[in-house]
Amino acid sequence: TSTAFGYDTTIPIEERPGWKSATVPTRERIAAAARTFLSECAPGDAWLGGNSIPWPVIAGLLALQLLEEDVLGGRLARRVLENWTPALVGCLPTSEAAQKRLIQFAYGEIPDAVLRNAGLLLDREDKAGGEVFCLFRLEPLWDARMGATLLGRLERGGLKPGSVFALGNLLLSRGVEGTAAHCAGQIPHPTEMDTHNRRLVVQCLALLLIHAPRSHWQRIWPYFVAQPDVAEEALARVVGPGEIREGGFLAAMDEEQLGDLYSWLSKRFPAPTDPHVMESHYVTPRETFTDLRNSVLLHLVQRGSPAACDRLARLVDALPEQRPWLPWRLREARMKARSNAWVPPTVPEVIALFQD
């Protein structure tokens, strides 16, 4: 539908110069050709998860978008829709809004076909590169069935660590029950670490730190004590500049856990060894851990709770090398606690004070 050289798959047919300049009869012929192509061709799924998408698959996806009204109106045979489900699942959007509507319709009509192709794509991406990138395409379809299907795939095992993290992160962010328990089950006691996949343990520790640190701290903390290198890898998987600034997983931790983490970070990355680079540069992992250590302390201070003050008081005793700034932080926390506990007097109480 264009006389221009080159082919930008992000431009829908209706926006191409050839379509815009075509007469009504020509447009009808193009639409008829699209119906015939969709009906008589089937792309199969052998290309799913590969390094390239065949042109016939892209052509079919464009045809589906051109005939979107027919598809959504149920005027396309169920067999045809099922044949082209791999294209809807496996192609990057040529028109994001249209593809979202089409795949949502397909999921409502033929959910088994959509889930089957999604599972196939997930497994092939995992096998090819150890990571899965297709999960964002499933977000518009999310429901309990989708969550249960993906949790089942996670529990079945066999995925590489990077894929476990991506899939587990999606499930935990969606609150799928059973995901955190499964991740915890993949983490052995630190003394049994040598018999397990280190990378898998790191990914599962990172998932629990992000999504369920408070409820699974008894599973997480022993690694900080007995396997600090593994714990450091898990933290590095979790933190980044945005995560630290926004609080992230720190907000889900209680005061005791924050104190434990601050003490560990202070000993592993002591303040006197902090790098101080003034010129422009890439942030190093060591600088990231410095930011995390400081953020943990700030988070604890700003809690302004009796538990936070108690934990900070014990940190002052346990880390005498951090005087005088740590006692000052304790003073800030106590001021914050008093401010939080203050209840302003009511109007009658104020009047009574003046009358006295």
Side-chain angles (χ1 to χ4, degrees):
T1 59
S2 176
T3 58
F5 290 100
Y7 198 81
D8 187 348
T9 59
T10 64
I11 303 176
I13 286 179
E14 301 94 324
E15 296 179 13
R16 298 176 185 275
W19 179 268
K20 290 181 177 180
S21 62
T23 62
V24 173
T26 301
R27 291 184 179 184
E28 290 175 351
R29 287 171 56 202
I30 293 171
R35 292 187 188 92
T36 301
F37 180 75
L38 291 172
S39 180
E40 296 183 0
C41 298
D45 57 32
W47 58 273
L48 271 176
N51 293 326
S52 62
I53 300 173
W55 284 111
V57 175
I58 296 175
L61 188 58
L62 288 168
L64 285 169
Q65 293 178 359
L66 179 64
L67 302 175
E68 181 182 351
E69 289 186 7
D70 288 354
V71 176
L72 301 185
R75 295 186 291 276
L76 194 69
R78 185 185 182 93
R79 169 191 62 82
V80 175
L81 183 60
E82 189 164 348
N83 285 344
W84 286 94
T85 299
L88 291 173
V89 172
C91 286
L92 290 171
T94 55
S95 174
E96 187 170 356
Q99 189 160 336
K100 181 178 177 181
R101 291 190 294 268
L102 287 166
I103 197 170
Q104 286 176 329
F105 177 80
Y107 187 58
E109 294 294 311
I110 45 173
D112 289 340
V114 173
L115 291 173
R116 182 176 63 253
N117 282 284
L120 186 61
L121 179 57
L122 188 152
D123 285 341
R124 288 180 180 173
E125 286 185 344
D126 171 71
K127 184 178 180 180
E131 297 276 355
V132 290
F133 305 99
C134 61
L135 297 176
F136 77 95
R137 302 174 197 172
L138 305 180
E139 292 270 11
L141 313 178
W142 195 268
D143 62 7
R145 179 175 181 173
M146 176 73 70
T149 300
L150 293 178
L151 176 59
R153 179 62 193 91
L154 183 67
E155 291 175 337
R156 196 160 70 246
L159 294 173
K160 295 176 182 176
S163 300
V164 169
F165 182 86
L167 184 53
N169 191 47
L170 173 63
L171 291 167
L172 287 165
S173 66
R174 289 285 184 166
V176 177
E177 189 173 349
T179 307
H182 171 78
C183 293
Q186 303 303 303
I187 302 173
H189 191 274
T191 58
E192 302 170 4
M193 180 67 197
D194 291 341
T195 62
H196 287 74
N197 184 325
R198 179 189 177 105
R199 286 193 62 221
L200 178 61
V201 171
V202 167
Q203 304 297 339
C204 289
L205 279 171
L207 286 169
L208 293 182
L209 276 168
I210 295 170
H211 296 282
R214 186 173 300 202
S215 57
H216 290 277
W217 193 247
Q218 295 303 315
R219 179 78 67 170
I220 297 168
W221 183 245
Y223 274 85
F224 284 82
V225 176
Q227 295 280 359
D229 291 343
V230 175
E232 182 178 329
E233 282 187 53
L235 273 179
R237 187 72 173 89
V238 171
V239 299
E243 177 72 26
I244 294 174
R245 282 197 305 271
E246 296 163 12
F249 73 103
L250 300 180
M253 297 170 66
D254 64 29
E255 289 85 351
E256 194 68 26
Q257 294 161 357
L258 287 170
D260 290 344
L261 183 57
Y262 179 75
S263 179
W264 185 87
L265 288 166
S266 294
K267 293 173 182 176
R268 193 163 180 86
F269 306 103
T273 66
D274 288 350
H276 299 283
V277 184
M278 302 304 295
E279 63 269 14
S280 176
H281 68 290
Y282 288 107
V283 176
T284 65
R286 178 63 177 82
E287 289 173 296
T288 297
F289 282 116
T290 296
D291 290 342
L292 176 62
R293 184 197 65 219
N294 296 339
S295 183
V296 172
L297 180 59
L298 182 62
H299 226 80
L300 193 55
V301 170
Q302 291 185 340
R303 288 285 174 94
S305 64
C309 294
D310 177 70
R311 192 65 183 92
L312 280 165
R314 285 183 280 133
L315 283 172
V316 168
D317 293 335
L319 302 171
E321 68 278 8
Q322 294 196 15
R323 296 176 183 270
W325 68 83
L326 196 54
W328 275 102
R329 287 298 196 180
L330 172 59
R331 182 173 179 271
E332 287 179 47
R334 286 171 172 166
M335 291 175 62
K336 182 77 171 176
R338 287 193 292 270
S339 176
N340 290 341
W342 181 69
V343 178
T346 64
V347 172
E349 288 172 337
V350 173
I351 293 173
L353 286 171
F354 278 106
Q355 288 176 339
D356 290 342

